[in-house]
């Protein structure tokens, strides 16, 4: 029996036995990654047959290992299954550059998240460090890609560059999220772009509107299925 994310969150940390059971049928590489992350960050908070997740582990907002492996050929052929996420507001005009640098990067501007996905933690750290260089204008895409390859070669040779060892910047603890702005006439206005500032009158009104919308959509779905009373 595997532990679902909901069960794991409700009961706190997941035992090693539960994790081993959930990933018993996983491919060898993701399974090894789970063991490595557990040895470094302790038990995860969420476990399912498809993913194992840590929250607020080290400097990261989230660490996730997935059963599914995705082929990725930069900087050399490998499989992606390990993801590290940091809180960081990425300027909109830099998103395309980051994806051009490493197509496995994902940017969630609304949540204020920047994620790197690879097969080794050191390579995700390297990706995030070079992404920060691109954001700050220290490197362009071509330079960052060349620097990635150089750092990987040096790491394999036993030099272990600092860009592979640890983050060279502090993730943003506040102000990273960007809930955007409404453009439907009459919509309530939150009044702040700080997602941590909850409970405003506008948020209460927006919540009620969302509930009404969901009721309408549910009724529409029921009508299409021609359900009875």
């Amino acid at each position: 029996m595997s532990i679902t994310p909901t069960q794991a969150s409700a009961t706190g940390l997941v035992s090693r036995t539960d994790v081993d059971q959930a990933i018993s049928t996983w491919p060898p590489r993701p399974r090894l990654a789970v063991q490595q992350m557990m040895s470094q960050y302790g038990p995860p908070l969420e476990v399912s047959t498809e993913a194992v997740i840590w929250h607020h582990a080290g400097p990261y907002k989230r660490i996730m290992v997935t059963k599914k492996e995705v082929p990725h050929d930069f900087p050399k052929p490998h499989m992606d299954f390990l993801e590290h996420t940091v809180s960081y507001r990425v300027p909109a005009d830099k998103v395309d550059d980051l994806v051009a640098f490493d197509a496995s990067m994902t940017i969630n501007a609304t949540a204020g998240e920047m994620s790197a996905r690879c097969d080794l933690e050191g390579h995700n750290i390297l990706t995030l460090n070079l992404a920060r260089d691109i954001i700050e204008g220290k490197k362009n895409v071509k330079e960052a890609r060349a620097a990635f390859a150089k750092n990987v070669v040096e790491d394999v040779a036993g030099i272990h560059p600092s860009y592979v060892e640890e983050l060279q910047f502090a993730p943003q603890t506040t102000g990273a999220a960007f809930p955007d702005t409404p453009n439907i006439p009459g919509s309530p206005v939150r009044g702040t772009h700080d997602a941590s500032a909850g409970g405003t009158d506008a948020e209460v009104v927006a919540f009620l509107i969302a509930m009404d919308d969901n009721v309408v959509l549910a009724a529409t779905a029921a009508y299409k299925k021609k359900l009875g009373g």
Side-chain angles (χ1 to χ4, degrees):
M1 181 183 71
S2 63
I3 301 296
T4 67
T6 301
Q7 289 171 327
S9 298
T11 57
L13 298 178
V14 182
S15 71
R16 181 174 291 273
T17 300
D18 291 328
V19 175
D20 289 342
Q21 189 174 8
I23 67 175
S24 61
T25 60
W26 284 26
R29 288 169 296 201
R31 194 164 66 243
L32 176 60
V34 170
Q35 300 297 340
Q36 291 173 332
M37 294 301 100
M38 286 188 69
S39 67
Q40 185 164 348
Y41 299 104
L45 287 179
E46 297 185 25
V47 177
S48 73
T49 55
E50 301 303 316
V52 178
I53 304 173
W54 291 256
H55 292 277
H56 306 292
Y60 307 104
K61 181 176 182 179
R62 185 172 59 255
I63 299 173
M64 178 171 66
V65 183
T66 61
K67 176 182 179 180
K68 183 177 181 180
E69 300 176 285
V70 179
H72 188 196
D73 291 345
F74 170 76
K76 61 181 179 180
H78 65 279
M79 305 296 282
D80 287 348
F81 48 81
L82 173 62
E83 182 176 272
H84 287 70
T85 300
V86 295
S87 294
Y88 201 92
R89 178 178 286 192
V90 176
D93 61 350
K94 294 293 184 178
V95 173
D96 287 347
D97 285 345
L98 296 187
V99 175
F101 156 58
D102 185 343
S104 289
M105 289 201 71
T106 56
I107 309 300
N108 186 332
T110 305
E113 297 178 351
M114 178 169 65
S115 302
R117 187 177 179 87
C118 201
D119 59 341
L120 296 171
E121 181 174 54
H123 291 181
N124 282 342
I125 293 172
L126 176 59
T127 297
L128 294 170
N129 282 329
L130 290 172
R132 169 65 181 265
D133 283 354
I134 293 174
I135 292 171
E136 293 192 338
K138 295 179 180 178
K139 288 182 177 66
N140 58 33
V141 172
K142 183 178 180 179
E143 291 168 341
R145 286 175 67 85
F148 195 105
K150 180 176 182 292
N151 276 269
V152 169
V153 170
E154 290 180 351
D155 191 44
V156 172
I159 298 176
H160 305 310
S162 60
Y163 264 45
V164 179
E165 293 291 293
E166 61 182 358
L167 293 179
Q168 302 299 299
F169 64 95
Q172 299 168 341
T173 56
T174 60
F178 177 66
D180 213 330
T181 55
N183 69 344
I184 295 178
S187 296
V189 179
R190 190 184 303 273
T192 175
H193 283 162
D194 183 357
S196 64
T200 64
D201 289 344
E203 283 188 311
V204 173
V205 172
F207 180 69
L208 292 174
I209 292 174
M211 289 178 63
D212 288 343
D213 290 343
N214 288 332
V215 170
V216 172
L217 292 174
T220 302
Y223 176 78
K224 289 180 179 179
K225 294 180 180 180
K226 298 180 179 179
L227 300 178

